[in-house]
Amino acid sequence: MALGRALRAKCLRATPFRGAVFQFQRMKTDPPPTSPVSPPQPEVFAPSQSPAPAAAPAGPQAEANFWLKPALKKKLLVGGIVVALAVGGGLVWRALQPTGPGAGFVVGNGRIEATEIDIATKLAGRVQDILVNEGDFVVVGQSLAQMQIEVLDAQRDEAQAQSRKAVNAVASAQAQVVASQSQTAAAQAVVELRESELDAAQRRQVRTETLTGQGVLAVQDLDDGRARVSGGAAALAGAQAQVAAAQAATVAAQAQVVGAGSSVEAAEATIARIDADIQDSLLKSPRAGRVQYRIAQPGEVLGAGGKVLNLVDLGDVYMTFFLPETVVGKVALGSEVHIVLDAALQWVIPAKVSYVASTAQFTPKTVETASERQKLMFRVKAQIDRALLEKHLKLVKTGLPGVAWLKLDAQATWPAELAIKVPQ
């Protein structure tokens, strides 16, 4: 045992690491000494001599070192592979990125966007059924959702009853007009009769006055003649009043006809309005596109203008990006733009500038000095051709990030890596 301790002391002087291991191993394995034994003195080597190599530890320590080295090697190997893959992937990604065509071109970052349409109910009501799902493609005029129309059906029945009532009122007013006209004719006939009677009474009165003056007739006959003339005049006036009353009744009856006709038109207009509301209860697609969201579900009660679906018009797709003040002044509407999406680096999509903001979208400071004006950013929209979009509707995705290369110089030529490349 003393010899083993001496050997371990030599190893501690020769290799500090192994000495530490042996010291730790000794503390774990060596039993406490049973008798006082003086520790051996460390051996001193001459300068010309070299210490003997330490013997490899045996037992459990040798087994621990045996398993430790392969595990460490494995970790180092895995770490090296990960680093190599990361570096290689970065190099490949960078190699696939457009390096830029040089002077006459400018680039901006943006996302693919499209016009969104909210399909909403015109009237308050309950959603009866939704006929499409998220992701479905729809065409113009396609039925999308149905609202309940029981209340509208009842209102239409009521309006139809009011219309029939107004029609009957028109017929009754027209009959009243005919009756009034007949009464007017009868009153005019009475007037003519009274005029004839009055004329006869007046002629007789003239003869009576002559005969009375000659003494042929008595004065009583003269008074009776005068009374007959006065009665005839009164009867004529009464007949004329009846004619005026009959004529007024005719005008009133004609007015009733007009009013009844207006009631018929109002009832028909109400029916047409209710029919329009019933038709609007069947929600249809105003454009061709794709269903993006189902905002409401069957059975839900919505207010007027409540949203049911959200559509994306895949024929109106564009990318918005921002350019600095020093560049945007050179951009003309209709300028060529080539879009490269991060998700499809192999394709180069053609577009044209359709909008340039007239004011900066954000400014660093309120005071715009010459240096600060260079930091102003203006919004630019690059519109993708509708014919190209309709040809690849199923491939169109909104929200995808990418870069837009804009050609400022009309004489410049697009490099090969930015030449138009679209799916066939």
Side-chain angles (χ1 to χ4, degrees):
M1 184 178 295
L3 179 60
R5 290 176 180 174
L7 290 175
R8 281 194 287 269
K10 291 181 181 179
C11 293
L12 286 174
R13 291 194 303 271
T15 55
F17 174 75
R18 291 187 177 182
V21 174
F22 290 162
Q23 182 68 18
F24 177 74
Q25 184 69 21
R26 185 190 67 181
M27 295 173 62
K28 293 178 62 177
T29 58
D30 288 352
T34 57
S35 60
V37 179
S38 58
Q41 297 296 327
E43 185 176 353
V44 179
F45 295 92
S48 59
Q49 297 177 349
S50 60
Q61 182 62 32
E63 185 178 357
N65 290 339
F66 176 78
W67 291 106
L68 177 61
K69 291 181 180 180
L72 181 59
K73 290 180 180 180
K74 184 177 181 180
K75 291 181 179 179
L76 292 176
L77 180 59
V78 172
I81 294 174
V82 171
V83 172
L85 291 177
V87 173
L91 293 176
V92 171
W93 178 84
R94 187 165 184 176
L96 293 176
Q97 292 292 323
T99 58
F105 297 85
V106 67
V107 65
N109 298 308
R111 290 181 179 272
I112 292 294
E113 302 177 30
T115 299
E116 296 186 4
I117 306 168
D118 291 326
I119 305 300
T121 175
K122 179 181 176 181
L123 303 174
R126 188 184 302 276
V127 180
Q128 179 174 338
D129 192 13
I130 297 180
L131 309 176
V132 293
N133 294 315
E134 294 179 352
D136 290 349
F137 288 89
V138 297
V139 297
V140 178
Q142 179 177 342
S143 300
L144 303 178
Q146 176 67 60
M147 305 294 293
Q148 289 186 355
I149 59 173
E150 285 78 2
V151 176
L152 294 175
D153 287 337
Q155 292 177 354
R156 182 175 59 181
D157 294 340
E158 180 183 2
Q160 289 175 344
Q162 293 292 336
S163 176
R164 290 191 295 269
K165 181 179 179 180
V167 170
N168 294 333
V170 169
S172 176
Q174 290 175 343
Q176 188 65 31
V177 168
V178 174
S180 298
Q181 291 174 345
S182 299
Q183 292 177 358
T184 301
Q188 288 177 346
V190 172
V191 167
E192 293 177 356
L193 175 63
R194 298 308 178 193
E195 287 178 347
S196 299
E197 292 177 350
L198 177 59
D199 181 68
Q202 289 175 346
R203 291 176 181 275
R204 176 180 247 178
Q205 178 63 19
V206 171
R207 290 194 297 270
T208 300
E209 289 178 352
T210 302
L211 293 175
T212 302
Q214 295 176 356
V216 176
L217 296 176
V219 177
Q220 182 64 38
D221 293 333
L222 180 61
D223 293 338
D224 292 342
R226 289 175 179 174
R228 284 193 295 270
V229 170
S230 297
L236 177 60
Q240 290 175 343
Q242 290 180 354
V243 169
Q247 290 176 346
T250 301
V251 173
Q254 290 174 346
Q256 289 179 355
V257 171
V258 175
S262 300
S263 298
V264 172
E265 293 177 356
E268 291 177 350
T270 301
I271 294 174
R273 175 181 58 81
I274 296 174
D275 288 338
D277 291 340
I278 292 175
Q279 292 178 0
D280 289 338
S281 297
L282 179 60
L283 307 183
K284 297 182 179 181
S285 175
R287 298 187 186 182
R290 184 177 61 224
V291 179
Q292 189 170 10
Y293 305 116
R294 286 180 59 164
I295 302 175
Q297 298 299 330
E300 294 186 8
V301 177
L302 304 178
K307 298 178 182 179
V308 180
L309 297 168
N310 178 268
L311 300 183
V312 176
D313 184 2
L314 298 181
D316 187 12
V317 179
Y318 53 89
M319 172 178 280
T320 55
F321 55 97
F322 294 88
L323 294 177
E325 178 266 342
T326 55
V327 174
V328 75
K330 305 175 183 178
V331 177
L333 293 177
S335 300
E336 293 185 44
V337 179
H338 287 187
I339 298 174
V340 180
L341 301 177
D342 294 349
L345 298 175
Q346 70 276 20
W347 307 122
V348 179
I349 305 171
K352 291 185 178 181
V353 175
S354 61
Y355 170 80
V356 178
S358 59
T359 57
Q361 300 299 309
F362 57 91
T363 56
K365 295 180 181 179
T366 304
V367 179
E368 299 176 3
T369 62
S371 60
E372 294 299 330
R373 285 199 299 270
Q374 297 179 0
K375 300 179 183 178
L376 302 181
M377 303 298 288
F378 290 78
R379 181 170 175 262
V380 181
K381 180 191 292 187
Q383 189 81 29
I384 302 176
D385 183 60
R386 179 179 289 270
L388 178 61
L389 294 170
E390 292 177 351
K391 187 177 179 181
H392 305 285
L393 279 180
K394 294 186 178 181
L395 298 178
V396 178
K397 302 292 186 299
T398 58
L400 298 178
V403 295
W405 290 94
L406 176 62
K407 185 168 72 170
L408 299 178
D409 185 2
Q411 304 300 326
T413 304
W414 289 99
E417 64 269 17
L418 288 179
I420 297 176
K421 301 173 187 175
V422 294
Q424 299 300 323

Coordinates of all heavy atoms in Angstrom, one line a residue, residues 45-118:
F45 N 14.3 14.1 -9.1 CA 15.0 13.7 -10.4 C 16.0 14.7 -10.7 O 15.8 15.9 -10.5 CB 13.9 13.6 -11.5 CG 12.9 12.5 -11.3 CD1 11.7 12.8 -10.7 CD2 13.2 11.2 -11.7 CE1 10.8 11.7 -10.5 CE2 12.3 10.2 -11.5 CZ 11.1 10.5 -10.9
A46 N 17.0 14.3 -11.3 CA 18.1 15.2 -11.7 C 17.7 15.9 -13.0 O 16.8 15.4 -13.7 CB 19.4 14.4 -12.0
P47 N 18.3 17.0 -13.3 CA 17.9 17.8 -14.5 C 18.1 17.0 -15.8 O 17.3 17.1 -16.7 CB 18.8 19.0 -14.5 CG 19.2 19.2 -13.1 CD 19.3 17.8 -12.5
S48 N 19.1 16.1 -15.8 CA 19.3 15.3 -17.0 C 18.3 14.2 -17.2 O 18.3 13.6 -18.2 CB 20.7 14.8 -17.1 OG 20.9 13.9 -15.9
Q49 N 17.7 13.8 -16.1 CA 16.7 12.7 -16.2 C 15.3 13.2 -16.5 O 14.9 14.3 -16.2 CB 16.7 12.0 -14.8 CG 18.1 11.3 -14.5 CD 18.0 10.7 -13.1 OE1 17.1 10.9 -12.4 NE2 19.1 9.9 -12.8
S50 N 14.6 12.4 -17.1 CA 13.1 12.7 -17.4 C 12.3 11.7 -16.6 O 12.6 10.6 -16.5 CB 12.9 12.5 -18.9 OG 13.1 11.2 -19.3
P51 N 11.2 12.3 -16.1 CA 10.3 11.4 -15.3 C 9.7 10.3 -16.1 O 9.4 10.5 -17.3 CB 9.3 12.4 -14.7 CG 9.2 13.5 -15.7 CD 10.7 13.6 -16.2
A52 N 9.6 9.2 -15.5 CA 8.9 8.0 -16.2 C 7.5 8.3 -16.4 O 6.8 9.0 -15.6 CB 9.1 6.8 -15.3
P53 N 7.0 7.9 -17.5 CA 5.5 8.1 -17.8 C 4.7 7.4 -16.8 O 5.0 6.3 -16.4 CB 5.4 7.5 -19.2 CG 6.5 6.5 -19.4 CD 7.6 7.1 -18.6
A54 N 3.6 8.2 -16.4 CA 2.7 7.6 -15.4 C 1.9 6.5 -16.0 O 1.5 6.5 -17.2 CB 1.7 8.7 -14.9
A55 N 1.7 5.5 -15.2 CA 0.9 4.4 -15.6 C -0.5 4.7 -15.8 O -1.0 5.6 -15.0 CB 1.1 3.2 -14.6
A56 N -1.2 4.1 -16.7 CA -2.7 4.4 -16.9 C -3.4 3.9 -15.7 O -3.1 2.8 -15.2 CB -3.2 3.7 -18.2
P57 N -4.4 4.7 -15.2 CA -5.2 4.2 -14.1 C -6.0 3.0 -14.4 O -6.4 2.8 -15.5 CB -6.1 5.4 -13.8 CG -6.2 6.1 -15.1 CD -4.9 6.0 -15.7
A58 N -6.1 2.1 -13.4 CA -6.8 0.9 -13.6 C -8.0 0.9 -12.8 O -8.2 1.7 -12.0 CB -5.8 -0.3 -13.2
G59 N -8.9 -0.1 -13.1 CA -10.1 -0.3 -12.3 C -11.2 0.6 -12.8 O -11.3 0.9 -14.0
P60 N -12.1 1.1 -11.9 CA -13.2 2.0 -12.3 C -12.8 3.2 -13.0 O -13.5 3.7 -13.8 CB -13.9 2.2 -10.9 CG -13.4 1.2 -10.0 CD -12.0 0.8 -10.4
Q61 N -11.7 3.8 -12.6 CA -11.2 5.1 -13.3 C -10.9 4.8 -14.7 O -11.3 5.6 -15.6 CB -10.0 5.7 -12.6 CG -9.5 7.0 -13.1 CD -10.6 8.0 -13.0 OE1 -11.4 8.0 -12.0 NE2 -10.7 8.9 -14.0
A62 N -10.3 3.7 -15.1 CA -10.0 3.4 -16.4 C -11.3 3.2 -17.2 O -11.4 3.7 -18.4 CB -9.1 2.2 -16.5
E63 N -12.3 2.6 -16.6 CA -13.6 2.4 -17.3 C -14.3 3.7 -17.5 O -14.9 3.9 -18.6 CB -14.4 1.5 -16.5 CG -15.7 1.1 -17.1 CD -16.6 0.1 -16.3 OE1 -16.1 -0.3 -15.2 OE2 -17.7 -0.2 -16.7
A64 N -14.2 4.7 -16.6 CA -14.8 6.0 -16.7 C -14.2 6.7 -17.9 O -14.9 7.3 -18.7 CB -14.8 6.8 -15.4
N65 N -12.8 6.7 -17.9 CA -12.2 7.4 -19.0 C -12.5 6.8 -20.4 O -12.6 7.4 -21.4 CB -10.6 7.4 -18.8 CG -10.3 8.3 -17.6 OD1 -11.0 9.2 -17.3 ND2 -9.1 8.0 -17.0
F66 N -12.7 5.5 -20.4 CA -13.0 4.8 -21.6 C -14.3 5.2 -22.2 O -14.4 5.4 -23.4 CB -13.0 3.2 -21.3 CG -13.4 2.5 -22.6 CD1 -12.5 2.2 -23.6 CD2 -14.7 1.9 -22.7 CE1 -12.9 1.5 -24.7 CE2 -15.0 1.2 -23.8 CZ -14.1 1.0 -24.8
W67 N -15.3 5.4 -21.3 CA -16.7 5.8 -21.8 C -16.7 7.3 -22.0 O -17.5 7.8 -22.8 CB -17.7 5.4 -20.8 CG -18.0 3.9 -20.8 CD1 -17.6 3.0 -19.8 CD2 -18.6 3.2 -21.8 NE1 -17.9 1.8 -20.2 CE2 -18.6 1.8 -21.4 CE3 -19.1 3.5 -23.1 CZ2 -19.1 0.8 -22.2 CZ3 -19.7 2.5 -23.8 CH2 -19.6 1.1 -23.4
L68 N -15.9 8.1 -21.3 CA -15.9 9.6 -21.4 C -15.4 10.0 -22.8 O -16.0 10.9 -23.4 CB -15.1 10.2 -20.3 CG -15.0 11.7 -20.3 CD1 -16.3 12.4 -20.2 CD2 -14.0 12.2 -19.3
K69 N -14.4 9.5 -23.3 CA -13.8 9.9 -24.5 C -14.8 9.7 -25.7 O -15.0 10.6 -26.5 CB -12.5 9.3 -24.8 CG -11.4 9.7 -23.8 CD -10.1 9.0 -24.0 CE -9.0 9.5 -23.0 NZ -7.7 8.8 -23.3
P70 N -15.4 8.6 -25.9 CA -16.3 8.4 -27.1 C -17.5 9.4 -27.0 O -17.9 9.9 -28.0 CB -16.8 7.0 -27.0 CG -15.7 6.3 -26.3 CD -15.1 7.3 -25.3
A71 N -18.0 9.6 -25.8 CA -19.2 10.5 -25.7 C -18.8 11.9 -26.1 O -19.5 12.7 -26.8 CB -19.7 10.5 -24.2
L72 N -17.6 12.4 -25.6 CA -17.1 13.7 -26.0 C -16.9 13.8 -27.5 O -17.2 14.8 -28.1 CB -15.8 14.0 -25.2 CG -15.2 15.4 -25.5 CD1 -16.2 16.5 -25.1 CD2 -13.9 15.5 -24.7
K73 N -16.3 12.7 -28.0 CA -16.1 12.7 -29.5 C -17.4 12.8 -30.2 O -17.5 13.5 -31.2 CB -15.3 11.5 -29.9 CG -13.9 11.5 -29.4 CD -13.2 10.2 -29.9 CE -11.7 10.1 -29.4 NZ -11.1 8.9 -29.8
K74 N -18.4 12.1 -29.8 CA -19.7 12.2 -30.4 C -20.3 13.5 -30.4 O -20.9 14.0 -31.4 CB -20.6 11.1 -29.8 CG -22.0 11.0 -30.5 CD -22.8 9.9 -29.8 CE -24.1 9.8 -30.6 NZ -25.0 8.7 -29.9
K75 N -20.2 14.2 -29.2 CA -20.8 15.5 -29.1 C -20.1 16.5 -30.1 O -20.7 17.3 -30.7 CB -20.7 16.0 -27.7 CG -21.6 15.3 -26.7 CD -21.5 15.8 -25.3 CE -22.5 15.1 -24.4 NZ -22.4 15.6 -23.0
L76 N -18.7 16.4 -30.1 CA -18.0 17.3 -30.9 C -18.3 17.0 -32.4 O -18.4 17.9 -33.2 CB -16.5 17.1 -30.7 CG -16.0 17.5 -29.3 CD1 -14.5 17.2 -29.2 CD2 -16.2 19.0 -29.1
L77 N -18.5 15.7 -32.7 CA -18.8 15.4 -34.1 C -20.2 16.0 -34.5 O -20.4 16.6 -35.6 CB -18.8 13.9 -34.3 CG -19.2 13.4 -35.7 CD1 -18.2 13.9 -36.7 CD2 -19.2 11.8 -35.7
V78 N -21.2 15.8 -33.6 CA -22.6 16.3 -33.9 C -22.5 17.8 -34.0 O -23.1 18.4 -34.9 CB -23.5 15.9 -32.8 CG1 -24.9 16.6 -33.0 CG2 -23.7 14.4 -32.9
G79 N -21.8 18.5 -33.1 CA -21.7 19.9 -33.2 C -21.1 20.4 -34.4 O -21.5 21.4 -35.1
G80 N -20.0 19.7 -34.9 CA -19.4 20.1 -36.1 C -20.3 19.9 -37.3 O -20.3 20.8 -38.2
I81 N -21.1 18.9 -37.3 CA -22.0 18.6 -38.4 C -23.1 19.7 -38.5 O -23.4 20.3 -39.5 CB -22.7 17.2 -38.3 CG1 -21.6 16.1 -38.5 CG2 -23.8 17.1 -39.3 CD1 -22.1 14.7 -38.2
V82 N -23.6 20.1 -37.3 CA -24.6 21.2 -37.2 C -24.0 22.5 -37.7 O -24.7 23.2 -38.5 CB -25.1 21.3 -35.8 CG1 -26.0 22.6 -35.7 CG2 -25.9 20.1 -35.4
V83 N -22.8 22.8 -37.3 CA -22.2 24.1 -37.7 C -22.0 24.0 -39.3 O -22.3 25.0 -40.0 CB -20.9 24.3 -37.0 CG1 -20.2 25.5 -37.6 CG2 -21.2 24.6 -35.5
A84 N -21.5 22.9 -39.7 CA -21.3 22.8 -41.2 C -22.6 22.9 -42.0 O -22.6 23.6 -43.0 CB -20.6 21.4 -41.5
L85 N -23.6 22.3 -41.5 CA -24.9 22.4 -42.2 C -25.4 23.8 -42.2 O -26.0 24.3 -43.2 CB -25.9 21.5 -41.6 CG -25.7 20.0 -41.8 CD1 -26.8 19.1 -41.0 CD2 -25.8 19.6 -43.3
A86 N -25.3 24.5 -41.0 CA -25.8 25.9 -40.9 C -25.0 26.8 -41.9 O -25.6 27.6 -42.6 CB -25.6 26.4 -39.5
V87 N -23.7 26.6 -41.9 CA -22.8 27.4 -42.8 C -23.2 27.1 -44.2 O -23.3 28.0 -45.1 CB -21.4 27.2 -42.5 CG1 -20.5 27.9 -43.5 CG2 -21.0 27.7 -41.1
G88 N -23.3 25.8 -44.5 CA -23.6 25.4 -45.9 C -25.0 25.9 -46.4 O -25.1 26.4 -47.5
G89 N -26.0 25.8 -45.5 CA -27.3 26.3 -45.8 C -27.3 27.8 -46.0 O -28.0 28.3 -46.9
G90 N -26.6 28.5 -45.2 CA -26.5 30.0 -45.3 C -25.8 30.4 -46.7 O -26.3 31.3 -47.4
L91 N -24.8 29.6 -47.0 CA -24.2 29.9 -48.3 C -25.1 29.6 -49.5 O -25.1 30.4 -50.5 CB -22.9 29.1 -48.4 CG -21.7 29.5 -47.4 CD1 -20.6 28.5 -47.6 CD2 -21.3 30.9 -47.6
V92 N -25.8 28.5 -49.4 CA -26.8 28.1 -50.5 C -27.9 29.2 -50.6 O -28.2 29.6 -51.7 CB -27.3 26.7 -50.2 CG1 -28.5 26.5 -51.2 CG2 -26.3 25.7 -50.3
W93 N -28.4 29.6 -49.4 CA -29.5 30.6 -49.4 C -29.0 31.9 -50.0 O -29.7 32.6 -50.8 CB -30.0 30.8 -48.0 CG -31.1 31.9 -47.9 CD1 -32.4 31.7 -48.2 CD2 -30.9 33.3 -47.6 NE1 -33.0 32.9 -48.0 CE2 -32.1 33.9 -47.6 CE3 -29.7 34.0 -47.2 CZ2 -32.3 35.2 -47.3 CZ3 -29.9 35.4 -47.0 CH2 -31.2 36.0 -47.0
R94 N -27.8 32.3 -49.6 CA -27.2 33.5 -50.2 C -26.9 33.4 -51.6 O -27.1 34.4 -52.4 CB -26.0 33.9 -49.4 CG -25.4 35.3 -49.8 CD -24.4 35.7 -48.8 NE -23.9 37.1 -49.1 CZ -23.1 37.8 -48.3 NH1 -22.6 37.2 -47.2 NH2 -22.7 39.0 -48.7
A95 N -26.5 32.2 -52.1 CA -26.3 32.1 -53.5 C -27.5 32.1 -54.3 O -27.5 32.6 -55.4 CB -25.6 30.7 -53.7
L96 N -28.7 31.7 -53.7 CA -29.9 31.7 -54.4 C -30.6 33.1 -54.4 O -31.4 33.4 -55.2 CB -30.9 30.7 -53.8 CG -30.6 29.3 -53.9 CD1 -31.6 28.4 -53.2 CD2 -30.5 28.9 -55.4
Q97 N -30.2 34.0 -53.5 CA -30.7 35.4 -53.5 C -30.2 36.2 -54.7 O -29.0 36.0 -55.1 CB -30.3 36.1 -52.2 CG -30.9 35.5 -50.9 CD -32.4 35.7 -50.9 OE1 -32.9 36.8 -51.3 NE2 -33.2 34.7 -50.4
P98 N -31.1 37.0 -55.3 CA -30.6 37.9 -56.4 C -29.6 38.8 -55.8 O -29.7 39.4 -54.8 CB -31.9 38.6 -56.8 CG -33.0 37.8 -56.3 CD -32.5 37.1 -55.1
T99 N -28.5 38.9 -56.6 CA -27.4 39.8 -56.1 C -27.6 41.3 -56.5 O -26.9 42.1 -56.1 CB -26.1 39.3 -56.7 OG1 -26.3 39.3 -58.2 CG2 -25.8 37.9 -56.2
G100 N -28.7 41.5 -57.4 CA -28.9 42.9 -57.7 C -28.4 43.2 -59.1 O -27.3 42.8 -59.5
P101 N -29.2 43.9 -59.9 CA -28.8 44.2 -61.3 C -27.9 45.4 -61.5 O -27.5 45.6 -62.6 CB -30.1 44.4 -62.0 CG -31.0 44.9 -60.9 CD -30.6 44.3 -59.7
G102 N -27.7 46.1 -60.4 CA -26.8 47.3 -60.5 C -27.5 48.6 -60.7 O -28.7 48.7 -60.3
A103 N -26.8 49.5 -61.4 CA -27.4 50.9 -61.6 C -28.7 50.8 -62.4 O -28.8 49.9 -63.3 CB -26.4 51.8 -62.2
G104 N -29.6 51.7 -62.1 CA -30.8 51.8 -62.9 C -31.9 51.0 -62.3 O -33.1 51.0 -62.8
F105 N -31.7 50.3 -61.2 CA -32.7 49.5 -60.5 C -32.7 49.8 -59.0 O -31.7 50.3 -58.5 CB -32.4 48.0 -60.7 CG -32.4 47.5 -62.1 CD1 -31.3 47.7 -62.9 CD2 -33.6 47.0 -62.6 CE1 -31.4 47.3 -64.2 CE2 -33.6 46.6 -63.9 CZ -32.5 46.7 -64.8
V106 N -33.8 49.6 -58.3 CA -33.9 49.8 -56.9 C -34.8 48.7 -56.4 O -35.6 48.1 -57.1 CB -34.6 51.2 -56.6 CG1 -36.0 51.2 -57.1 CG2 -34.4 51.5 -55.1
V107 N -34.6 48.3 -55.1 CA -35.3 47.2 -54.5 C -36.0 47.6 -53.2 O -35.6 48.6 -52.6 CB -34.3 46.0 -54.2 CG1 -33.3 46.5 -53.2 CG2 -35.1 44.8 -53.8
G108 N -37.1 47.0 -53.0 CA -37.9 47.3 -51.7 C -38.5 46.0 -51.2 O -38.8 45.0 -52.0
N109 N -38.7 45.9 -49.9 CA -39.3 44.7 -49.3 C -40.8 45.0 -49.1 O -41.2 46.1 -48.8 CB -38.6 44.5 -47.9 CG -37.2 44.2 -48.1 OD1 -36.8 43.3 -48.9 ND2 -36.3 44.9 -47.3
G110 N -41.6 43.9 -49.2 CA -43.0 44.0 -49.0 C -43.7 42.7 -48.9 O -43.0 41.6 -48.8
R111 N -45.0 42.7 -48.9 CA -45.8 41.5 -48.8 C -46.9 41.5 -49.9 O -47.3 42.5 -50.3 CB -46.5 41.4 -47.4 CG -45.5 41.1 -46.3 CD -46.2 41.0 -45.0 NE -45.3 40.7 -43.9 CZ -44.9 39.5 -43.5 NH1 -45.4 38.4 -44.2 NH2 -44.1 39.3 -42.5
I112 N -47.2 40.3 -50.3 CA -48.3 40.2 -51.3 C -49.6 40.4 -50.6 O -49.9 39.8 -49.5 CB -48.3 38.7 -51.9 CG1 -47.0 38.6 -52.7 CG2 -49.5 38.5 -52.7 CD1 -47.0 39.4 -54.0
E113 N -50.4 41.3 -51.2 CA -51.7 41.6 -50.6 C -52.8 41.5 -51.7 O -52.4 41.5 -52.9 CB -51.8 43.1 -50.1 CG -50.7 43.3 -49.0 CD -50.7 44.7 -48.5 OE1 -51.8 45.4 -48.5 OE2 -49.7 45.2 -48.1
A114 N -54.0 41.5 -51.3 CA -55.2 41.4 -52.3 C -56.3 42.2 -51.7 O -56.4 42.4 -50.5 CB -55.5 40.0 -52.6
T115 N -57.3 42.5 -52.6 CA -58.5 43.2 -52.1 C -59.4 42.3 -51.4 O -59.7 41.2 -51.9 CB -59.2 43.8 -53.4 OG1 -58.3 44.7 -54.0 CG2 -60.5 44.5 -52.9
E116 N -59.8 42.7 -50.2 CA -60.6 41.9 -49.4 C -62.1 42.4 -49.4 O -62.3 43.6 -49.4 CB -60.1 41.8 -47.9 CG -58.8 41.1 -47.8 CD -58.4 41.0 -46.3 OE1 -59.2 41.4 -45.4 OE2 -57.3 40.5 -46.0
I117 N -63.0 41.5 -49.4 CA -64.4 41.9 -49.5 C -65.2 41.2 -48.4 O -65.1 40.0 -48.2 CB -65.0 41.4 -50.9 CG1 -64.2 42.0 -52.0 CG2 -66.5 41.9 -51.0 CD1 -64.6 41.4 -53.3
D118 N -65.9 42.0 -47.6 CA -66.7 41.5 -46.5 C -68.1 41.2 -47.0 O -68.8 42.1 -47.5 CB -66.8 42.5 -45.3 CG -65.4 42.5 -44.6 OD1 -64.7 41.5 -44.6 OD2 -65.1 43.6 -44.1

